[in-house]
Amino acid sequence: MSKKIRVGVLFGGRSAEHEISLLSAKTIVEAMDKEKYEIVLIGINKSGEWFLHSDLTCLSNASDPKKIHFKKENEKENVALVAKEMGNPLVSLTGKALNCPLDVIFPALHGPYGEDGTVQGLLKLANIPFVGAGVLASAIGMDKDVMKRLLRDAGIPVAQFLTLQEHSYKSVSFEHIQTTVGLPFFVKPANAGSSIGISKVKNRSEFEEKIALAFQFDRKILIEECITGREIECSVIGNETPLTSLPGEIISAHEFHSYEEKYLGHGAIFKYPAYLKPNEISALQALAVKTYQALCCEGMGRVDMFLKPDGQIIVNEINTIPGFTSTSAYPKMWEASGLGLSDLIDQLIVLALERFKKEQGLKTTFKSVEADLSAAPKMQPVVSDL
């Protein structure tokens, strides 16, 4: 029997999406083939402390998206403290301090401090393979402002938007916003997910309140055009040659697809796959791949789009660590496309290990041509008798 792959599932975190991360990790761990993998649970609490857990009994109210949390009594082995004692903040991730070297890490983190390139950078420094996008794509995908600017420059259609900074937003008038993006418009934190902090503004009286709400979650926010159209999503997997699932559709019962609809089942209807014409499916899949590659993504991503009544497709955003809860779109779309959750996880881990192997083959030292010549044996001059 071949050796099991030791997978560290990293979950929790300091973001406002902490509870969704716990739910995602639970779904992933339950679906993983225990004959193939030895699972090491690495939980991060809301204070940013890292702990090892033996199994999912570390979670309390594990089926409730609002009440799920870590049990305090299960926080027995503080990974960060072990690392600190060894004099290296990364040593515990490589397993040297805890005597459990990891073959790969599956980050099931959502939002800042996990999906934004911070953890990816830590894992790169620790020289550990990890599932999902690298540092650059993770950071881009998290920052909706930078993401939309790059998509726009790549010729990918996005909604009209304005970016407001916390220190200067009062210099932009409501009238200017209304003229630029129209009314109603959306207000969003630039770095957040799961529809947290998002509001739809219909008139001036709501403006200040919704701006203040968005600034509770980020120091930079977006004012975005309201697009009328079908909400379509497409799952993407792969490194150099990404593949797409059949698209899915969200039919929201409210002003927009909120946190409550996504995770609490409050009113939305999900169709996996979406009812679309063949030419619409191919166009959506092609744009999803173009978006994925324009943002330098690898591993996985969920591309969210709008299909307007005239057939135009507008890209809303990409999610580089999409949800893996029991109701999440990313695995549901793959399931509708013929790829079950256990096999999906297998493929993501294979992609992580393949990328790591290629990266390990890159040179990390450099010798100049001059240095090579100076090190070569000296040629003796040929003396002719002529």
Side-chain angles (χ1 to χ4, degrees):
M1 182 178 177
S2 60
K3 177 180 172 289
K4 289 184 180 181
I5 298 172
R6 180 167 283 180
V7 182
V9 178
L10 187 58
F11 64 117
R14 293 169 54 197
S15 85
E17 297 174 77
H18 176 93
E19 289 77 12
I20 305 309
S21 174
L22 302 186
L23 290 170
S24 287
K26 177 177 179 289
T27 304
I28 290 167
V29 170
E30 289 175 344
M32 291 177 73
D33 187 341
K34 308 307 185 290
E35 296 297 317
K36 294 180 182 178
Y37 306 113
E38 180 181 347
I39 303 167
V40 178
L41 299 180
I42 307 170
I44 307 174
N45 67 18
K46 289 190 175 184
S47 299
E49 298 171 300
W50 295 40
F51 297 90
L52 286 180
H53 301 284
S54 57
D55 54 43
L56 290 172
T57 59
C58 65
L59 299 175
S60 183
N61 297 311
S63 60
D64 190 326
K66 283 191 170 181
K67 296 181 179 179
I68 188 171
H69 64 273
F70 285 120
K71 294 177 183 176
K72 289 291 183 184
E73 61 269 24
N74 284 83
E75 296 181 345
K76 298 188 184 296
E77 184 104 53
N78 188 319
V79 177
L81 288 179
V82 173
K84 187 176 180 181
E85 289 168 4
M86 296 296 292
N88 183 343
L90 301 179
V91 73
S92 64
L93 284 175
T94 61
K96 294 174 183 175
L98 303 176
N99 195 29
C100 57
L102 300 172
D103 296 310
V104 62
I105 282 186
F106 197 128
L109 297 162
H110 305 307
Y113 312 111
E115 192 179 351
D116 57 357
T118 50
V119 162
Q120 289 73 18
L122 180 68
L123 298 176
K124 289 279 282 188
L125 286 172
N127 205 34
I128 302 177
F130 59 90
V131 168
V135 177
L136 177 63
S138 297
I140 292 170
M142 190 79 254
D143 191 315
K144 295 179 179 67
D145 167 42
V146 175
M147 175 188 66
K148 287 178 184 291
R149 284 189 272 144
L150 287 173
L151 292 177
R152 185 177 58 194
D153 288 349
I156 294 171
V158 296
Q160 292 290 325
F161 70 98
L162 293 170
T163 304
L164 304 184
Q165 304 284 347
E166 185 182 36
H167 66 278
S168 60
Y169 80 93
K170 291 185 178 180
S171 63
V172 180
S173 68
F174 179 83
E175 287 73 22
H176 174 68
I177 292 170
Q178 183 176 355
T179 301
T180 305
V181 302
L183 196 68
F185 56 78
F186 283 98
V187 179
K188 305 178 177 181
N191 292 274
S194 297
S195 300
I196 291 173
I198 295 180
S199 304
K200 187 175 185 180
V201 174
K202 300 176 184 177
N203 53 60
R204 175 190 279 276
S205 64
E206 300 176 329
F207 180 59
E208 290 293 338
E209 176 190 348
K210 303 308 183 185
I211 289 282
L213 173 63
F215 274 127
Q216 290 180 24
F217 296 96
D218 198 6
R219 297 176 61 199
K220 178 170 69 170
I221 66 173
L222 262 66
I223 307 293
E224 192 173 84
E225 173 190 8
C226 179
I227 301 292
T228 300
R230 297 169 66 183
E231 293 189 52
I232 306 293
E233 302 176 308
C234 199
S235 295
V236 186
I237 190 171
N239 292 339
E240 292 89 352
T241 55
L243 301 173
T244 60
S245 69
L246 290 170
E249 181 174 12
I250 302 163
I251 302 173
S252 178
H254 301 94
E255 295 283 1
F256 61 95
H257 190 37
S258 65
Y259 180 98
E260 287 74 17
E261 283 190 340
K262 286 180 178 179
Y263 305 112
L264 305 180
H266 290 179
I269 297 172
F270 304 93
K271 292 188 176 180
Y272 306 122
Y275 179 74
L276 296 161
K277 299 174 184 176
N279 64 309
E280 292 173 331
I281 293 172
S282 58
L284 287 157
Q285 290 175 323
L287 192 57
V289 169
K290 186 177 180 181
T291 298
Y292 189 84
Q293 293 180 320
L295 300 177
C296 307
C297 288
E298 293 176 299
M300 61 179 167
R302 190 195 71 235
V303 180
D304 300 344
M305 298 167 278
F306 294 103
L307 178 59
K308 298 177 71 174
D310 63 2
Q312 184 185 14
I313 304 169
I314 303 292
V315 172
N316 184 29
E317 63 182 32
I318 194 167
N319 192 315
T320 56
I321 304 184
F324 274 82
T325 73
S326 60
T327 60
S328 291
Y330 185 82
K332 289 289 186 183
M333 283 186 279
W334 280 120
E335 183 180 3
S337 305
L339 183 63
L341 182 54
S342 180
D343 291 332
L344 174 60
I345 291 168
D346 288 347
Q347 289 199 21
L348 291 171
I349 289 172
V350 167
L351 287 167
L353 294 171
E354 286 179 351
R355 177 181 62 189
F356 182 75
K357 183 178 180 180
K358 290 178 181 179
E359 290 174 346
Q360 294 302 291
L362 297 174
K363 290 186 176 181
T364 57
T365 58
F366 173 72
K367 286 185 179 180
S368 66
V369 174
E370 290 80 3
D372 287 342
L373 290 175
S374 65
K378 300 295 184 183
M379 299 296 291
Q380 297 298 319
V382 177
V383 179
S384 174
D385 292 333
L386 298 176

